Amino acid sequence: MTKERLTSVKVDSKTVEKVTHVSGEQWIKEGLAVVVVGASGDLAKKKTYPSLLSLFSGNLLPSNVVIYGYARSKISNAQLRDKLRPYLDGKAKSDAVEDFLSRCYYQAGSSYGDLKSWSALNDQITHYEDQLKVTKGIDKSNRLFYFAIPPNVFAETGAAIKSACMSPNGFSRMIVEKPFGKDLESCKDILHRLGQYFDEKSLYRIDHYLGKELVQNLMVCRFSNLWMEQMFNRNFVQCIMLTFKEPFGTEGRGGYFDQYGIIRDIIQNHLLQVMCLLCMECPNKLDGPDSGEKIRNEKVRVLEAMPAVTIDEVFLGQYEGYTDDETITNKESNCPTFAIIRCFVNNPRWAGVPIIFKAGKALNERKAEMRVQFKPAPAAETLFGGIEVPRNELVMKLQPGESLYLKSNIKTPGFCSTP
């Protein structure tokens, strides 16, 4: 992006008219450059940019925000916008989409650690920040780097940013998306390398599944409804099931997926995070400063109470035609695309309650849900003539069509008294 092009960015064309919960915070009044690292990839176009559009259209970003993409693909600003538009249309009003796209720029690099390219991007961001100072009198500008890239390039990316692209007068924050390596050792290695360049206040590890509305609702549902919290324990719950199903296969992502498999890709992060929120004890603070650390601590206690999974508690499978994906080099791969895992949380609340994870690709439907199945009503079969009475279930559906409902029994219609 040339300086001449950058001057066409209308840094003062949009003012925050809607008062939001961030309107009074200092950073919303400062400059902000968001850098999406891996901007040409699948995650960026399907998740990251639509999420940024949602924040932008909801007045939850500074009015002068600009968004830079960095990746190895050789594309122009216009080509990036054309690539993003199909994933943004319909997510906001058309004028908001176009305004958002006009703020999206692109910088290509030979690698994610290419210092020359990062220096060129730094020059572009610096020019934008200088424009803010001249036109708006904004002296402080922040930079946010979102890593939509494989974990094996986290470290070289962080080193290049630290060397060539840090904000001179505001914060510089790194957001790294799962997975954090293939196993414990690779995770520790990645976090150690990033820790050499950034302290904990500048480093954010996230799982985008936690941004889903119903997942964010879990704590409110559990701890603000008397009946729900009273029944969430081993005395009432028979089992908990967490399910993730996709009706399609790897679709060109096989090269990535084959390194991780369905357990690391879905169960070990997305579903496990949801399970922790579903099973944790109530923190003594759920909102405001310090609440994040308190919630995290309760989630960790759940994980600490889980015994190691044995092979007898795991069922694995692979859909037919998996290795037909051209990006999979190992045609003899036994990488699982389907898994069922049974776990337990050995604490006073959940001891003995099976927690079942089920996830797979190329299945019969698209679905992600949490299902809490309660114990049978006492003596129900005796009371109703020996028939099997269905158990009550609390179902929290994440996708598609977010919903929460309780399955309860009523009598069969007509001249009948059975459930």
Side-chain angles (χ1 to χ4, degrees), residues 120-153:
L121 179 57
N122 180 66
D123 291 342
Q124 296 172 36
I125 299 176
T126 300
H127 183 68
Y128 150 75
E129 292 168 346
D130 291 342
Q131 288 292 106
L132 283 184
K133 187 172 182 180
V134 172
T135 59
K136 297 285 286 183
I138 296 176
D139 294 323
K140 186 177 180 181
S141 293
N142 305 305
R143 300 181 184 181
L144 191 67
F145 300 86
Y146 186 97
F147 288 27
I149 50 177
N152 62 304
V153 292

Side-chain angles (χ1 to χ4, degrees), residues 222 229 232-235 279-281 347-351 353:
R222 278 196 60 193
E229 178 58 13
F232 263 50
N233 58 66
R234 62 190 299 271
N235 298 321
C279 296
M280 72 180 188
E281 297 298 324
N347 63 17
R349 180 186 288 268
W350 296 113
V353 177

